Amino acid sequence: MLAGIGRIEWQTVGLAAVIYGGFLAVTWFWQSLPLALVPMLGAWLIAWHSSLQHEVLHGHPTRHRRINDAIGWPPLSLWLPYAIYREGHLIHHRDEHLTDPIEDPESAYFTRAAWDAMGSFGRRLAAWNTTLLGRLTLGPAVMIANFLAQEAHAIWTGDRQRLRIWLVHLMGCAVVLAWVTHVCGMPLWLFLFGFVYAGAALSRLRSFAEHRYADHHDERTAIVETRSPLGLLFLYNNLHVLHHKRPAVPWYRIPGLYNRHRDALMRLNGGLVYQGYLDVARRFLLKPHDDPLHPHHHHEPQLPSQAPLPVEELVELAPRKVAGGRG
């Protein structure tokens, strides 16, 4: 399957050049572009960069991790350090634990204890986030705020490794923001909302329906078949069950491999297949994708008090989430 892949995957090197070159070009020439086009291009590039980060953490485009990590490290999205994303996503690939809110850092499900601790407003917000419209509108804010709160708690309680990662990451963020706002003269609000937030929403579109609980772990990963440009944007991770079975396959080989083994992959995942993202929207735009309480943690004893817990205690109850399901 991996025969013929060279020491350097030039397709991915070229992709990285397009993404970083595109980012520099759009931010530099933004005043010469129609204003409505700027956030469209910006969101695409941020989401595409997220897909590139996912690709390089799986060992592409070279056989040298330091080179690959250097390609994925630049913090264009600002909020997510690459090193933390890499750590959590590789844990996510323990397929026997997929969707479990304790074991899977990218699970969208909750334990009973965490659910009860959220309070009525938090539960309503979490339920809205199980719809596609909720995931695309408020979902990025919920994901980013939850992630940053957990990271702040880890640093506050003495995690020095996390602190070092964040200090280096923030230096990178300062360079990105200096380029965007001071060199290119782009308003900060336009970058934060038109690039960062909208790009996170695009990435959430991919991750929205790619996992759901089933008794057998092979049936917890979906397939979204699409011929739209979204396949290229997501580097064909919409064919997600193939990625989980063969995570070392580079993005440009996924479509051909999927076409050759389509029937077998559909049998493997129990027929969890969507006919494009319009099909996902038709099913789940305003309807929940699933019960937010994980079946294995649905009937845990409730907490004695129904009052919301302080933030620091809620962070302790919730498993550490990484990237909110970007992988």
Side-chain angles (χ1 to χ4, degrees):
M1 185 179 299
L2 301 180
I5 296 177
R7 292 181 178 272
I8 300 178
E9 299 164 15
W10 292 107
Q11 297 91 330
T12 306
V13 173
L15 175 71
V18 169
I19 292 172
Y20 287 117
F23 179 83
L24 293 174
V26 171
T27 50
W28 178 259
F29 292 109
W30 74 272
Q31 296 182 75
S32 302
L33 298 170
L35 185 58
L37 184 61
V38 174
M40 295 172 63
L41 293 173
W44 181 279
L45 287 166
I46 295 298
W48 216 5
H49 180 255
S50 172
S51 298
L52 175 67
Q53 289 183 311
H54 174 262
E55 186 74 8
V56 300
L57 70 82
H58 279 293
H60 309 283
T62 76
R63 300 183 183 183
H64 301 281
R65 176 181 164 181
R66 289 186 178 181
I67 295 175
N68 299 338
D69 288 350
I71 293 172
W73 180 82
L76 302 190
S77 67
L78 300 181
W79 65 274
L80 178 63
Y82 169 79
I84 296 175
Y85 176 34
R86 184 182 189 280
E87 172 193 325
H89 184 72
L90 294 179
I91 294 173
H92 165 74
H93 270 270
R94 300 181 304 178
D95 280 14
E96 66 275 14
H97 297 304
L98 274 175
T99 75
D100 188 288
I102 300 296
E103 301 290 348
D104 180 1
E106 296 184 6
S107 173
Y109 293 87
F110 295 90
T111 65
R112 167 61 68 179
W115 181 257
D116 289 340
M118 293 167 68
S120 59
F121 175 76
R123 289 192 288 270
R124 286 196 297 270
L125 186 62
W128 173 243
N129 203 33
T130 63
T131 69
L132 181 59
L133 184 59
R135 190 70 62 90
L136 298 183
T137 53
L138 294 179
V142 172
M143 171 181 68
I144 293 170
N146 179 62
F147 173 73
L148 294 180
Q150 293 189 65
E151 290 300 306
H153 182 266
I155 293 171
W156 181 258
T157 54
D159 191 331
R160 294 187 177 183
Q161 180 183 5
R162 271 303 200 267
L163 178 60
R164 286 193 294 270
I165 290 173
W166 273 100
L167 289 175
V168 175
H169 176 77
L170 289 173
M171 287 190 288
C173 290
V175 173
V176 171
L177 290 174
W179 166 260
V180 170
T181 61
H182 294 287
V183 178
C184 300
M186 181 181 292
L188 181 60
W189 66 265
L190 179 58
F191 182 68
L192 292 181
F193 289 99
F195 284 63
V196 175
Y197 197 89
L202 264 182
S203 294
R204 297 294 274 171
L205 172 63
R206 177 186 62 78
S207 64
F208 174 74
E210 66 188 14
H211 292 296
R212 102 181 265 171
Y213 177 77
D215 289 336
H216 194 279
H217 62 79
D218 282 334
E219 298 180 359
R220 298 173 191 169
T221 304
I223 296 167
V224 181
E225 296 187 323
T226 179
R227 296 182 180 179
S228 75
L230 291 174
L232 180 59
L233 174 64
F234 301 144
L235 299 186
Y236 306 109
N237 270 293
N238 49 291
L239 307 173
H240 207 56
V241 69
L242 174 56
H243 170 66
H244 268 265
K245 299 310 292 182
R246 295 293 184 268
V249 174
W251 64 274
Y252 52 87
R253 290 200 169 184
I254 289 177
L257 190 62
Y258 174 78
N259 289 334
R260 289 197 297 275
H261 300 282
R262 180 175 181 268
D263 292 342
L265 289 166
M266 286 184 178
R267 289 193 299 271
L268 182 70
N269 86 332
L272 184 56
V273 181
Y274 303 101
Q275 301 305 313
Y277 288 97
L278 285 178
D279 184 25
V280 174
R282 179 182 61 82
R283 300 185 192 208
F284 305 119
L285 184 66
L286 297 173
K287 295 180 180 179
H289 175 251
D290 204 359
D291 186 338
L293 281 170
H294 192 275
H296 287 180
H297 303 277
H298 203 291
H299 301 294
E300 297 171 0
Q302 295 194 11
L303 298 175
S305 172
Q306 294 301 311
L309 293 179
V311 170
E312 61 271 14
E313 294 186 37
L314 180 57
V315 168
E316 285 293 339
L317 276 170
R320 178 170 289 177
K321 302 288 185 179
V322 180
R326 284 180 62 166

